[in-house]
Amino acid sequence: MTDLSKYRNIGIFAHVDAGKTTTTERILKLTGKIHKIGDTHDGSTTTDFMEQEAERGITIQSAATTCFWNDHRLNIIDTPGHVDFTVEVYRSLKVLDGGIGVFCGSGGVEPQSETNWRYANDAEVSRLIFVNKLDRMGADFYRVVDQVKNVLAANPLVMTLPIGIEDDFSGVVDVLEQKAYIWDDSGLPENYEVTEIPEEYKEKAAEYREMLIETAVEQDDDIMMAYMDGEEPTLEQIKECIKKGTHNLSFFPTFCGSAYKNKGIQLVLNAVTDYLPSPTEVEPQDLTDEETGEPTGEKAIVSVDEPFRALAFKIMDDRFGALTFIRIYSGKLNKGDTILNSATGKTERVGRMVEMHADERTELTSAQAGDIIAVVGMKNVQTGHTLCDPKNACTLEPMIFPDPVISIAVAPRDKGSTEKMGIAIGKMVAEDPSFQVETDEDSGETILKGMGELHLDIKVDILKRTYGVELNVGQPQVAYRETITQAIEDSYTHKKQSGGSGQFGKIDYRIKPGEPNSGFKFESTVVGGNVPKEFFPAIEKGFKEMMNQGVLAGFPTLDVEIELFDGAYHAVDSSAIAFEIAAKGAFRQSMKKAGPQLLEPVMKVDVFTPEDHVGDVIGDINRRRGMIKDQEAGATGVRVKADVPLSEMFGYIGHLRTMTSGRGQFSMEFSHYAACPQNVADAVIAAEKEKKEAK
């Protein structure tokens, strides 16, 4: 059994192309886990093992691996940087205790790094910062440190300084120990020497050391008082303060280097073992109430002596069957144990357990609190389910996933593919909760929904290659919504008289627009029993069901408040059903009068362009109904931030490359819903109407 204080569960996360996978690769080489270093440029890295990843040179799904450094066991998850796969980052952060945020020395803090940083803040994960690629053109360590302060509003604690820059980058200064680490030109990570700090860096190193100590000692009043009286704290005391501040997110120890050139990684690894928390040092996960999802006040204490509790955070299908990745929070798990899935109420027997190294696996017979392992062949487990000891049922805090904003219709090309497609899509939905599938009842088409064009593009590619399903793919569709703009008061009576008892329900109500993102709210202020209390739920249900089909073009309705203030009932003819039907009729009758409006998803778009093309890019964004939010000049070009409707962004990458002679890049993520201009709304409504008539 490994001592839990020697465990580090960490994730590596960053923007596309900041060098996460290469950094992971170097860590594996340094810790002796692999002997030949792979490279994203030729698709030979360890953690990007999917065909689609090797080809595109990007990480799509998070991969897990384990290695050892300084007697510590590191469980590492390499996460994707691309915005369409943020769900992978989100769920990895959920089960990790610490992380390394990698930033590109020339690109700096990019949009995706902001999103991932926000997720890590929400998950309260301690982090180190590694400013990578300092050998690149335009690299500037100090600029990136400023961006971390200004863009992320975080406090970087500078631990190393670069020696040389761009082509001359040769090593780093260890600010705390006041030593220089210089690598030779062999490109081997082990070939370095520790020397005195070169003359020209001495003053800067001393200045940064003073800043480091001043920030660190704030974590301990006694040490701080002694320091203010002129007493220098010991190295141990400073390290203890850094560790404390890292755990409580007061600051983030910041390192620099070049993973590709193998420089500076050892110091990051030392910092992982010195400053990042072990599983026992992290605030334990809340246990929640199964019915309400609210915390019960109990915690999943990380200890081998507690009952077994684990969270399934990822499901992956490979040639040997379904793998369920689990993070064990407490207790032990042995091969052959029977465990309970508290979400389904069913028990499962644990057949095979494996430790993953990307796509290779090592069989295990037991695992314990703090471990991240995979279980083979579990039947009904989904992402976010809690697995626990059947005698001590519990639910860990669940995961919340964003709603898809884009959809495409697909149809199999031949009969043989239909069945294959059903099975394949079932597996893929289990693997990725931000990917959803539904069947259009009217047309029988299969609709795939996802987080962006690239996300769906890769899903179709996986269906084709991994599962052999040939598809015809339709045009991407936008997930429009509807809302209202005026408050109205109205009344509706549902009356039906046929043989036997009839149906009667009269409701008087007010409908008004709700706050943005407030969803659907229903309240009753009926006094005097004109509508008996037992019918309120039926009225609410009637209104709520109708929210799924708006009056303009049948899109779901957002942000509406309904207040029931009066009505009438009949002692014999009134029933829950009668009032539910009255509410549905009321919705149809009143929504048309309340100034209905079409809403469209607006994306936060971040475009990088060389300086000579800025005018073209901005003009193009304006033509796409975009709102320019910000422009900032960097070393190698300009970044333009804007809000642009999703419907105007299809195929944008092609246009951007043409405008910028292939040098532009962009990323986007969902921001909010906003009202469509009337001409756009009219066109969408007409197109929906045509579709319905065609059916």
Side-chain angles (χ1 to χ4, degrees):
M1 285 286 170
T2 318
D3 171 7
L4 270 183
S5 68
K6 295 245 185 332
Y7 268 60
R8 296 290 180 274
N9 288 323
I10 60 168
I12 295 184
F13 56 93
H15 187 79
V16 177
D17 261 4
K20 300 171 299 301
T21 302
T22 310
T23 305
T24 308
E25 202 63 16
R26 299 313 184 249
I27 289 175
L28 295 179
K29 170 78 174 78
L30 272 175
T31 55
K33 187 79 186 190
I34 54 174
H35 300 295
K36 175 185 170 289
I37 292 184
D39 196 336
T40 47
H41 302 292
D42 57 21
S44 63
T45 61
T46 312
T47 50
D48 285 357
F49 52 83
M50 281 169 67
E51 274 175 60
Q52 289 82 356
E53 294 181 309
E55 261 172 41
R56 296 171 195 241
I58 60 171
T59 306
I60 293 170
Q61 54 176 3
S62 38
T65 183
T66 300
C67 56
F68 290 84
W69 182 257
N70 289 353
D71 295 339
H72 285 67
R73 175 195 175 106
L74 313 183
N75 292 325
I76 300 176
I77 294 188
D78 172 28
T79 64
H82 211 285
V83 64
D84 291 6
F85 311 108
T86 26
V87 57
E88 287 282 345
V89 180
Y90 168 77
R91 60 169 162 201
S92 303
L93 282 166
K94 182 92 180 127
V95 297
L96 294 168
D97 307 321
I100 302 175
V102 180
F103 297 103
C104 170
S106 59
V109 175
E110 292 163 289
Q112 195 53 46
S113 1
E114 289 177 52
T115 310
N116 292 341
W117 197 263
R118 203 170 61 235
Y119 280 155
N121 285 341
D122 293 346
E124 296 182 353
V125 170
S126 305
R127 279 148 280 170
L128 305 175
I129 291 173
F130 177 54
V131 179
N132 187 22
K133 300 198 177 182
L134 287 183
D135 56 322
R136 283 269 293 265
M137 273 290 294
D140 182 345
F141 174 68
Y142 301 99
R143 190 183 80 240
V144 181
V145 169
D146 282 342
Q147 285 183 334
V148 169
K149 287 181 196 157
N150 302 330
V151 181
L152 302 178
N155 186 4
L157 184 73
V158 176
M159 304 290 291
T160 61
L161 302 174
I163 297 174
I165 201 74
E166 295 182 359
D167 286 346
D168 303 327
F169 175 65
S170 62
V172 299
V173 172
D174 180 338
V175 174
L176 187 57
E177 308 220 359
Q178 292 284 301
K179 292 262 189 289
Y181 286 69
I182 312 271
W183 277 263
D184 65 15
D185 294 333
S186 67
L188 292 170
E190 312 66 73
N191 289 5
Y192 66 91
E193 51 178 350
V194 182
T195 64
E196 284 300 305
I197 299 173
E199 207 48 54
E200 67 268 34
Y201 291 99
K202 279 194 170 154
E203 198 176 314
K204 200 163 214 172
E207 179 194 334
Y208 270 89
R209 185 168 200 266
E210 196 166 314
M211 291 189 336
L212 187 154
I213 295 174
E214 277 173 13
T215 309
V217 294
E218 285 173 8
Q219 299 298 317
D220 187 310
D221 291 346
D222 297 343
I223 298 176
M224 185 161 108
M225 295 311 289
Y227 178 67
M228 288 170 87
D229 291 339
E231 195 181 311
E232 170 97 354
T234 66
L235 203 57
E236 269 54 55
Q237 285 175 323
I238 300 172
K239 282 189 161 178
E240 208 40 55
C241 288
I242 296 175
K243 184 173 176 178
K244 191 173 167 191
T246 307
H247 289 198
N248 62 28
L249 310 187
S250 303
F251 47 70
F252 304 94
T254 300
F255 295 83
C256 61
S258 159
Y260 186 53
K261 295 277 171 66
N262 287 311
K263 292 172 184 169
I265 303 285
Q266 284 92 335
L267 289 105
V268 180
L269 281 172
N270 292 339
V272 168
T273 58
D274 286 346
Y275 307 128
L276 287 181
S278 74
T280 51
E281 291 168 323
V282 177
E283 182 70 22
Q285 287 272 341
D286 284 320
L287 296 180
T288 55
D289 184 295
E290 250 170 89
E291 302 298 310
T292 62
E294 294 299 312
T296 57
E298 273 189 90
K299 304 263 187 201
I301 309 291
V302 176
S303 154
V304 183
D305 308 321
E306 289 269 314
F308 173 72
R309 303 185 184 103
L311 185 71
F313 68 96
K314 178 179 165 68
I315 289 164
M316 199 171 99
D317 201 73
D318 73 0
R319 57 187 190 279
F320 303 110
L323 282 175
T324 306
F325 282 82
I326 65 171
R327 158 74 198 262
I328 303 176
Y329 283 104
S330 58
K332 289 193 190 82
L333 182 63
N334 295 312
K335 203 170 160 170
D337 282 357
T338 297
I339 54 177
L340 170 73
N341 177 345
S342 64
T344 59
K346 296 194 170 118
T347 53
E348 299 217 17
R349 192 166 165 278
V350 177
R352 290 170 56 209
M353 302 181 340
V354 293
E355 178 182 292
M356 296 299 291
H357 173 49
D359 58 346
E360 293 168 16
R361 53 190 65 201
T362 316
E363 294 276 340
L364 298 171
T365 53
S366 72
Q368 62 168 30
D371 279 333
I372 292 180
I373 61 159
V375 182
V376 184
M378 296 195 111
K379 303 272 186 307
N380 302 313
V381 179
Q382 286 175 3
T383 300
H385 282 181
T386 301
L387 304 172
C388 54
D389 173 356
K391 295 191 200 64
N392 288 287
C394 70
T395 306
L396 288 156
E397 204 176 17
M399 298 179 168
I400 300 145
F401 295 107
D403 287 331
V405 290
I406 177 173
S407 59
I408 48 173
V410 296
R413 283 198 192 150
D414 49 54
K415 274 237 154 75
S417 288
T418 312
E419 195 172 309
K420 271 201 285 192
M421 181 175 88
I423 296 167
I425 285 180
K427 288 179 176 175
M428 287 163 68
V429 170
E431 286 181 19
D432 179 355
S434 63
F435 173 58
Q436 295 175 7
V437 177
E438 58 186 47
T439 306
D440 185 323
E441 283 167 17
D442 303 333
S443 67
E445 285 179 322
T446 300
I447 312 285
L448 308 184
K449 299 179 165 188
M451 302 309 293
E453 272 186 292
L454 177 70
H455 192 194
L456 293 179
D457 201 21
I458 284 177
K459 295 296 178 201
V460 170
D461 198 33
I462 293 174
L463 278 168
K464 197 153 56 198
R465 265 201 259 176
T466 312
Y467 297 104
V469 180
E470 287 294 330
L471 293 174
N472 292 327
V473 180
Q475 285 299 309
Q477 300 296 319
V478 176
Y480 289 101
R481 295 285 181 266
E482 297 183 17
T483 191
I484 52 168
T485 53
Q486 294 153 20
I488 59 160
E489 195 171 293
D490 211 345
S491 170
Y492 187 87
T493 308
H494 169 64
K495 238 205 299 237
K496 192 171 163 203
Q497 205 59 51
S498 55
S501 66
Q503 286 182 354
F504 177 83
K506 173 176 186 283
I507 52 175
D508 297 332
Y509 50 90
R510 297 183 186 95
I511 291 184
K512 65 173 188 183
E515 290 292 311
N517 299 326
S518 59
F520 167 75
K521 280 189 182 152
F522 175 83
E523 65 165 342
S524 162
T525 52
V526 177
V527 283
N530 287 348
V531 177
K533 271 204 177 66
E534 64 261 30
F535 297 138
F536 294 171
I539 297 169
E540 180 173 357
K541 183 180 169 211
F543 277 120
K544 197 170 185 174
E545 278 184 13
M546 294 302 286
M547 290 285 288
N548 289 329
Q549 33 189 314
V551 292
L552 286 173
F555 293 111
T557 310
L558 298 180
D559 308 333
V560 173
E561 289 182 19
I562 295 175
E563 178 199 344
L564 175 73
F565 66 88
D566 204 0
Y569 78 108
H570 185 285
V572 178
D573 291 354
S574 284
S575 62
I577 279 289
F579 275 104
E580 191 181 317
I581 294 170
K584 288 181 173 173
F587 186 93
R588 276 192 289 267
Q589 166 184 298
S590 304
M591 286 313 236
K592 291 179 180 139
K593 306 177 193 170
Q597 187 179 48
L598 200 64
L599 299 174
E600 59 182 352
V602 174
M603 308 302 277
K604 189 167 126 190
V605 178
D606 196 299
V607 187
F608 173 83
T609 163
E611 262 171 48
D612 31 354
H613 299 291
V614 176
D616 302 344
V617 166
I618 288 178
D620 181 63
I621 289 176
N622 289 332
R623 275 193 296 282
R624 293 172 189 271
R625 302 192 283 121
M627 286 271 297
I628 306 287
K629 283 290 168 76
D630 191 20
Q631 261 172 271
E632 69 183 52
T636 51
V638 178
R639 283 176 52 197
V640 179
K641 296 183 179 189
D643 286 350
V644 190
L646 173 64
S647 58
E648 304 286 343
M649 288 301 289
F650 292 134
Y652 179 63
I653 190 71
H655 289 280
L656 179 64
R657 285 191 180 140
T658 312
M659 275 186 300
T660 59
S661 342
R663 290 158 62 203
Q665 289 174 327
F666 87 104
S667 70
M668 65 176 185
E669 60 180 309
F670 173 69
S671 170
H672 60 277
Y673 273 98
C676 271
Q678 199 52 51
N679 58 335
V680 175
D682 292 344
V684 171
I685 293 165
E688 285 300 310
K689 199 169 165 192
E690 222 171 273
K691 257 197 225 167
K692 288 197 174 76
E693 282 165 6
K695 286 168 189 171

